[in-house]
Amino acid sequence: MNLILKILGYLYLCAVVQCVHQVSWLPCQFIDEHVFVNEEGHTETELLHREAMLQFGRLGDSPVNPHATTFLVTGSKLDLRRYVQGVEAEQLECELRRYSTDGIHVRWPVKGAMEYNHWFSCTVRHTNGLFTVTSFLRHPSDQTHPGQQDYRNWPAIGDREILITTVAMVIKTQSASIRAGLGSQQKLHCQFDVDHKGPNITLEWHWQNRGERIRLFSHNSRSGQSQGTGVRLKSLTGGDASYSLPFIKMSSEGTYICSVSVIPLFVSLDIGLQIEEPPRVSLNVGPTLSLQEGGEQKVACEAESYYPLDVQIVWNVQDLAVSGQRVGTPLPKVLQNILLSSHKHNQDKTYSLTAFFYLTVSLKDSGREFTCIVSHQSLRMPIRKSFILTVEEPISWMFYLTVGFVLVTLVPILCVLLRYLHSARKRSVQKKPY
Ligand SMILES: *[C@@H]1O[C@H](CO)[C@@H](O)[C@H](O)[C@H]1NC(C)=O
């Protein structure tokens, strides 16, 4: 009984560890800035890549990596780990930067906050693009506000320094890049949270493409006012600012920017949306093509209505008759003399392209399989369409010669025979007088 309980206990523990697989530290690249005025009097920024560690814990914890700068994230209402949960630490890329509040100084409205804060932005990306999480780390300081742009006066951070921080704001997207088919419906994921109640949040969605920028939606939590559509206000209060696109058109392509601002913080996430339409592939001949020896046929493979432009069409030929007999099947050969039509622009802005060749057949081509292979970025596997060629022997000249010879020799004989018969009958009629 005791043993069973123990085993159950272990199983439970394992399950918990599995479910709440949380990182307790994350190696980060700290992109520090050295801001200075150059010889011409311009402000220049030099970026310094430094080793850092994002460590989750409590005040007084010893650093995991004593040789790096440690950003110790202590508890707040926001748990950054929840946003990167369920993946291995090796799959995460972490980047820390100083964040300038552009001279705006406000007291951060949480209990025990000091007058002045140093801000850092921390971006954690999943290496396979599953999500991007950007958070703001607040490092309280008793230093008085210097009254000038903070980046002109960045306090030095030592190589082994431990900075005590809390997470003040988080924004996350699970759809950093989207490939969508025409006419489909898409949801652009954006989620945020702030560490205090009733924050004054302004949320906006913008769309941007080729120098054009349009505001799609905006909402302020204090005034309760919204402009535009696409975001469900009910979900917004829970931190879900996802934007819905009910019907994807060619003009939907572009970058969608979800931005959240709580003064003095501003953060935005880009979501790229690319239209992808797979080609429809067809041949101008059926699955079997039979031709007479010496016959000619134009064979075309058309890839229709695809987007974006780049498509690859290859024609292969394989000798099935031979492959059935030998042990080593001959590999398909790529046909060389393929002609391509120019790209056709369709009305819906998709493209079409035809790859064709002229087939002149001889008897040895019979039983060959011709395959058109179309590759496009929208396809996981290329589309293949094939036909099998059968070649029939033409009625040969020997046949005609034989038939001709027979006719030429038989007809005179027949004539002679007929005439003989006729005269024989005449004679017999004359000889019978009764
Ligand atoms: C909320 O923030 C906006 C700027 O983002 C500001 O214009 C507005 O006055 C603030 N509202 C309140 C009630 O503080």
PDB file of all heavy atoms in Angstrom, residues 200-202 220 222-223 261-263, ligand 1:
ATOM      1  N   ASN A 200      -3.789  52.971 -17.518  1.00  0.00           N
ATOM      2  CA  ASN A 200      -4.234  53.818 -18.631  1.00  0.00           C
ATOM      3  C   ASN A 200      -3.537  53.320 -19.904  1.00  0.00           C
ATOM      4  O   ASN A 200      -2.468  53.774 -20.266  1.00  0.00           O
ATOM      5  CB  ASN A 200      -3.873  55.277 -18.310  1.00  0.00           C
ATOM      6  CG  ASN A 200      -4.299  56.210 -19.431  1.00  0.00           C
ATOM      7  OD1 ASN A 200      -4.965  55.798 -20.385  1.00  0.00           O
ATOM      8  ND2 ASN A 200      -3.896  57.472 -19.308  1.00  0.00           N
ATOM      9  N   ILE A 201      -4.211  52.373 -20.560  1.00  0.00           N
ATOM     10  CA  ILE A 201      -3.610  51.714 -21.720  1.00  0.00           C
ATOM     11  C   ILE A 201      -4.180  52.286 -23.003  1.00  0.00           C
ATOM     12  O   ILE A 201      -5.391  52.472 -23.122  1.00  0.00           O
ATOM     13  CB  ILE A 201      -3.921  50.197 -21.713  1.00  0.00           C
ATOM     14  CG1 ILE A 201      -3.257  49.526 -20.526  1.00  0.00           C
ATOM     15  CG2 ILE A 201      -3.482  49.529 -23.007  1.00  0.00           C
ATOM     16  CD1 ILE A 201      -3.499  48.044 -20.470  1.00  0.00           C
ATOM     17  N   THR A 202      -3.317  52.534 -23.951  1.00  0.00           N
ATOM     18  CA  THR A 202      -3.792  52.815 -25.310  1.00  0.00           C
ATOM     19  C   THR A 202      -3.313  51.679 -26.193  1.00  0.00           C
ATOM     20  O   THR A 202      -2.113  51.389 -26.253  1.00  0.00           O
ATOM     21  CB  THR A 202      -3.236  54.150 -25.822  1.00  0.00           C
ATOM     22  OG1 THR A 202      -3.598  55.165 -24.890  1.00  0.00           O
ATOM     23  CG2 THR A 202      -3.823  54.490 -27.182  1.00  0.00           C
ATOM     24  N   ASN A 220      -8.692  53.298 -25.902  1.00  0.00           N
ATOM     25  CA  ASN A 220      -8.091  53.750 -24.646  1.00  0.00           C
ATOM     26  C   ASN A 220      -8.923  53.235 -23.488  1.00  0.00           C
ATOM     27  O   ASN A 220     -10.145  53.386 -23.464  1.00  0.00           O
ATOM     28  CB  ASN A 220      -7.996  55.278 -24.615  1.00  0.00           C
ATOM     29  CG  ASN A 220      -7.378  55.756 -23.309  1.00  0.00           C
ATOM     30  OD1 ASN A 220      -8.086  56.047 -22.350  1.00  0.00           O
ATOM     31  ND2 ASN A 220      -6.060  55.772 -23.259  1.00  0.00           N
ATOM     32  N   ARG A 222      -9.029  54.131 -20.346  1.00  0.00           N
ATOM     33  CA  ARG A 222      -9.608  55.105 -19.403  1.00  0.00           C
ATOM     34  C   ARG A 222     -10.850  55.768 -19.969  1.00  0.00           C
ATOM     35  O   ARG A 222     -11.887  55.818 -19.321  1.00  0.00           O
ATOM     36  CB  ARG A 222      -8.566  56.184 -19.058  1.00  0.00           C
ATOM     37  CG  ARG A 222      -7.482  55.731 -18.119  1.00  0.00           C
ATOM     38  CD  ARG A 222      -7.995  55.651 -16.676  1.00  0.00           C
ATOM     39  NE  ARG A 222      -7.052  54.960 -15.832  1.00  0.00           N
ATOM     40  CZ  ARG A 222      -6.028  55.538 -15.205  1.00  0.00           C
ATOM     41  NH1 ARG A 222      -5.810  56.835 -15.362  1.00  0.00           N
ATOM     42  NH2 ARG A 222      -5.215  54.841 -14.453  1.00  0.00           N
ATOM     43  N   SER A 223     -10.724  56.245 -21.212  1.00  0.00           N
ATOM     44  CA  SER A 223     -11.880  56.917 -21.817  1.00  0.00           C
ATOM     45  C   SER A 223     -12.903  55.896 -22.301  1.00  0.00           C
ATOM     46  O   SER A 223     -14.074  56.215 -22.477  1.00  0.00           O
ATOM     47  CB  SER A 223     -11.419  57.792 -22.975  1.00  0.00           C
ATOM     48  OG  SER A 223     -10.938  56.980 -24.029  1.00  0.00           O
ATOM     49  N   SER A 261       0.564  51.146 -25.239  1.00  0.00           N
ATOM     50  CA  SER A 261       1.339  52.144 -24.505  1.00  0.00           C
ATOM     51  C   SER A 261       0.687  52.457 -23.174  1.00  0.00           C
ATOM     52  O   SER A 261      -0.538  52.581 -23.060  1.00  0.00           O
ATOM     53  CB  SER A 261       1.551  53.394 -25.352  1.00  0.00           C
ATOM     54  OG  SER A 261       0.513  54.294 -25.168  1.00  0.00           O
ATOM     55  N   VAL A 262       1.533  52.467 -22.168  1.00  0.00           N
ATOM     56  CA  VAL A 262       1.164  52.895 -20.824  1.00  0.00           C
ATOM     57  C   VAL A 262       2.290  53.844 -20.459  1.00  0.00           C
ATOM     58  O   VAL A 262       3.426  53.393 -20.287  1.00  0.00           O
ATOM     59  CB  VAL A 262       1.129  51.708 -19.833  1.00  0.00           C
ATOM     60  CG1 VAL A 262       0.785  52.207 -18.433  1.00  0.00           C
ATOM     61  CG2 VAL A 262       0.147  50.642 -20.267  1.00  0.00           C
ATOM     62  N   ILE A 263       1.986  55.109 -20.427  1.00  0.00           N
ATOM     63  CA  ILE A 263       3.064  56.088 -20.248  1.00  0.00           C
ATOM     64  C   ILE A 263       3.900  55.767 -19.006  1.00  0.00           C
ATOM     65  O   ILE A 263       3.313  55.453 -17.970  1.00  0.00           O
ATOM     66  CB  ILE A 263       2.449  57.507 -20.187  1.00  0.00           C
ATOM     67  CG1 ILE A 263       2.086  57.882 -21.629  1.00  0.00           C
ATOM     68  CG2 ILE A 263       3.393  58.531 -19.583  1.00  0.00           C
ATOM     69  CD1 ILE A 263       1.390  59.187 -21.792  1.00  0.00           C
TER      70      ILE A 263
HETATM   71  C1  LIG B   1      -4.228  58.282 -20.530  1.00  0.00           C
HETATM   72  O1  LIG B   1      -3.076  58.325 -21.396  1.00  0.00           O
HETATM   73  C2  LIG B   1      -3.228  59.184 -22.487  1.00  0.00           C
HETATM   74  C3  LIG B   1      -1.979  59.072 -23.301  1.00  0.00           C
HETATM   75  O2  LIG B   1      -1.702  57.756 -23.609  1.00  0.00           O
HETATM   76  C4  LIG B   1      -3.482  60.595 -22.037  1.00  0.00           C
HETATM   77  O3  LIG B   1      -3.661  61.436 -23.148  1.00  0.00           O
HETATM   78  C5  LIG B   1      -4.709  60.629 -21.153  1.00  0.00           C
HETATM   79  O4  LIG B   1      -4.902  61.937 -20.634  1.00  0.00           O
HETATM   80  C6  LIG B   1      -4.576  59.647 -20.009  1.00  0.00           C
HETATM   81  N1  LIG B   1      -5.837  59.575 -19.292  1.00  0.00           N
HETATM   82  C7  LIG B   1      -5.932  59.641 -17.993  1.00  0.00           C
HETATM   83  C8  LIG B   1      -7.323  59.622 -17.456  1.00  0.00           C
HETATM   84  O5  LIG B   1      -4.966  59.708 -17.288  1.00  0.00           O
END
